[in-house]
Structures are given as structure tokens and as C-alpha cells.
Amino acid sequence: MLLNKKISIWYFIREIKAQIVYMGIFALSIGLLDLLPGFRRISLPLNIPALLGTAVSLLLAFRTSQSYERWWEARTVWGAIVNDSRTLMRLIIQFFPAGEDKIIKEFAERQMIWTYALGESLRRQPFSDRVQKYLDEHQIKAVNIPNALLDAHSQQLKETASSKGLTDFQQMQLNDIITRLCDSMGKCERLKNTVFPRSYSILLHTMIYVFAAILPFGLDDGQLAVEIIITFLIPVMFLAIEKTSIIMQDPFENGPVDTPVTSLAQTIEMNIKQMTGDQNVPAKKENSLYYEM
């Protein structure tokens, strides 16, 4: 499940309430201004605001498309993390000889902690008690904790490969999976840290308000209420579409359309524990499909 189907319309209204108020005041002011004698003589062909509205629509379509691509890429990357986590544990169980349950469990626990730590760091939340307890027990301190956990994977693999009889090819396969996990982590960090150009939003907002300013002069002055309502509703719809793209453009913001990293981490934990024969398999929490308040 990708989206919270219980998302409330009031959540979205709260996100754009300031723009609604500003546009309401703006539309009312322009509508009343159009009644003044000097402005009543101004009449624009409706094609002019229609042309500007078309330009705004194209810009909004581009922004919405780019935001969706970022959101979908984040979901694709986390799908790869799920698959690589399963593959890593499957190969570790297969390559390490029987009786090495301690090593297997160490890799399993570290991989589970890595997924939770990555999701929490992307959302810029404090580490959960479980993650922090693991970090304290193993004295892991770093600026980038998920990267330090992958380093611990590589270090343990280096220390145990020769002593446990792993071939060079087996060691290369395991290193390749750790490299893919690191690559996925880097992609997530790129999505998190690369912001949409602020100049684009400024241009879009300016064009929306210019459109709202000239629209009344292309409408019939005989129906003031209808003129104000139209001047209010169309720009508000433009602003709502823009806000939708802004919400989607950061897939790790801990919101209703966020990539469900906690749910995916729980899926990885359940899979790894089942693969390693751990009987303490947790049940997935339904609310973890969505965002955490």
C-alpha cells in the first residue's frame, strides 16, 4: 500500500489555509476595485487571462510530474532495499558453515537496525529506543549512522571471510550486495537533500496572482458575486495543485503521502527473522503503513 487511504481533506485544507485566506482577500479587493469608475472602463479580451491560465497550467503540470517522479523513485529505491536485504541474509545463511549462528544473527540484527536507522535519519527524527540501544551497545558513533552500520557489515565480513572458509567469489557476492545497499542509501539521501528550485515556486506564484488580477477585467461587471467567486476559485485550484506537488516532492517528510519506510523496515525485519529461524517474528502494525505523528 503506497498511500494512506484515510487521509483527511482537512489535512490538505490546513496545508493551504493561508493561501486560501490570501487569495480570498485578493479576489475581493480586485473585484471591488473593478467597480471603481476608472477601472470599469478597462475591459480585456477573455483570451488574455485564458492564455496566462494555460501557461500556469503547463508549469503546474511540469512541477507535478517532477514531484511524482521523485516520489516514485523513492518507492523504487526502498523496494530494492527490501530485495537486497533478503538476498544478503540468504547468501550469508548459505555461505557460512553450519554452527555459525552467532555470526548470522549479528548480520541479521545489524541489517534490521540499518533499515530502521536509515528511515529515521531520512525523516530527520531522533533514533528510536531500539536503534539507540544497539548503537550504544556496539559503541557506534558517526555523523552518518546508516553508513557506519554498512561499514560494520564490511568489517565483519573481512574479519570472518578467511577464517570461516569463504571463497573469493562468495566474498565478492556479499560485498556486491553491501555496495548495492550503500548505493540505495545514497539515492535516498540525494532525494532528501536535493530541493526543488525556489525560483520556480516564486515564478509560479507570481503568475497565479497576475492571472487573478487580470481575470476580473475579462469578466462581466454586472455580476459582482460571480466575478469574485470565479476570481477566487480558479487561482485557489492552481494553488492547491501546486501544494500537492510540494507535498509529494519530499518522499521522506513523514506525511500522509510519505514513502512508508517504517512499514518497509518492519517487512524486512519479519523476513529476516523468518529466514534465520527466529520465533519472535513481530506482527506488522497497520498504522505503520502511513506516517507517524
Side-chain angles (χ1 to χ4, degrees):
M1 190 170 187
L2 299 179
L3 295 176
N4 182 354
K5 62 183 179 181
K6 296 181 181 179
I7 181 173
S8 171
I9 187 64
W10 297 110
Y11 168 82
F12 189 75
I13 291 176
R14 287 196 302 270
E15 290 293 314
I16 64 171
K17 63 182 179 181
Q19 289 92 329
I20 291 176
V21 172
Y22 295 151
M23 186 53 66
I25 296 173
F26 189 80
L28 182 61
S29 302
I30 292 296
L32 295 176
L33 186 66
D34 194 27
L35 294 178
L36 297 177
F39 289 94
R40 288 182 67 88
R41 292 193 297 268
I42 300 176
S43 179
L44 296 176
L46 191 57
N47 291 339
I48 294 179
L51 180 63
L52 184 57
T54 301
V56 172
S57 299
L58 292 175
L59 290 173
L60 284 172
F62 173 76
R63 173 146 199 186
T64 303
S65 174
Q66 294 300 307
S67 298
Y68 180 80
E69 286 185 11
R70 286 168 58 90
W71 179 85
W72 183 249
E73 183 183 359
R75 185 59 184 85
T76 303
V77 170
W78 269 85
I81 288 174
V82 173
N83 293 337
D84 287 337
S85 296
R86 294 168 178 162
T87 303
L88 176 66
M89 290 313 305
R90 184 173 290 111
L91 293 182
I92 286 176
I93 293 170
Q94 177 183 348
F95 290 164
F96 281 93
E100 298 296 341
D101 292 343
K102 183 176 181 296
I103 294 177
I104 294 173
K105 288 182 178 179
E106 287 175 354
F107 273 104
E109 180 66 17
R110 189 184 302 114
Q111 183 59 27
M112 290 185 289
I113 293 297
W114 179 80
T115 58
Y116 284 107
L118 178 60
E120 290 163 2
S121 63
L122 289 172
R123 287 176 169 173
R124 294 177 180 168
Q125 295 176 311
F127 288 126
S128 59
D129 293 340
R130 177 182 177 185
V131 173
Q132 192 60 55
K133 180 180 178 182
Y134 181 91
L135 298 177
D136 293 340
E137 289 178 352
H138 293 80
Q139 298 181 347
I140 298 176
K141 296 180 180 179
V143 175
N144 191 326
I145 292 297
N147 189 59
L149 291 170
L150 290 182
D151 286 343
H153 268 340
S154 297
Q155 184 64 28
Q156 185 173 20
L157 180 61
K158 177 182 178 181
E159 294 173 351
T160 58
S162 58
S163 61
K164 302 303 179 183
L166 267 64
T167 65
D168 291 341
F169 181 72
Q170 290 173 333
Q171 187 175 354
M172 183 182 66
Q173 283 185 290
L174 292 173
N175 276 323
D176 183 58
I177 298 173
I178 295 173
T179 300
R180 294 208 304 263
L181 289 171
C182 184
D183 183 55
S184 295
M185 178 181 67
K187 290 177 180 178
C188 290
E189 292 171 343
R190 170 177 54 80
L191 287 170
K192 179 66 179 181
N193 297 324
T194 304
V195 298
F196 208 88
R198 179 63 180 166
S199 57
Y200 196 92
S201 294
I202 294 174
L203 172 64
L204 197 51
H205 268 198
T206 301
M207 293 184 66
I208 291 173
Y209 276 93
V210 170
F211 170 78
I214 68 175
L215 181 59
F217 299 100
L219 300 175
D220 184 10
D221 295 337
Q223 296 179 327
L224 177 61
V226 174
E227 183 179 303
I228 292 175
I229 290 173
I230 292 177
T231 305
F232 170 74
L233 285 180
I234 297 178
V236 163
M237 286 191 293
F238 285 154
L239 291 171
I241 295 172
E242 186 200 18
K243 191 62 179 181
T244 301
S245 65
I246 291 174
I247 292 173
M248 282 199 306
Q249 74 184 16
D250 189 347
F252 306 116
E253 193 63 21
N254 196 30
V257 296
D258 190 12
T259 302
V261 294
T262 303
S263 175
L264 294 170
Q266 289 179 350
T267 298
I268 293 172
E269 179 180 8
M270 292 168 60
N271 294 161
I272 289 178
K273 287 192 172 183
Q274 289 171 351
M275 294 169 69
T276 56
D278 193 330
Q279 300 300 318
N280 186 26
V281 179
K284 179 179 288 188
K285 299 177 183 178
E286 292 300 323
N287 61 358
S288 66
L289 291 169
Y290 317 129
Y291 68 112
E292 297 123 26
M293 297 300 291

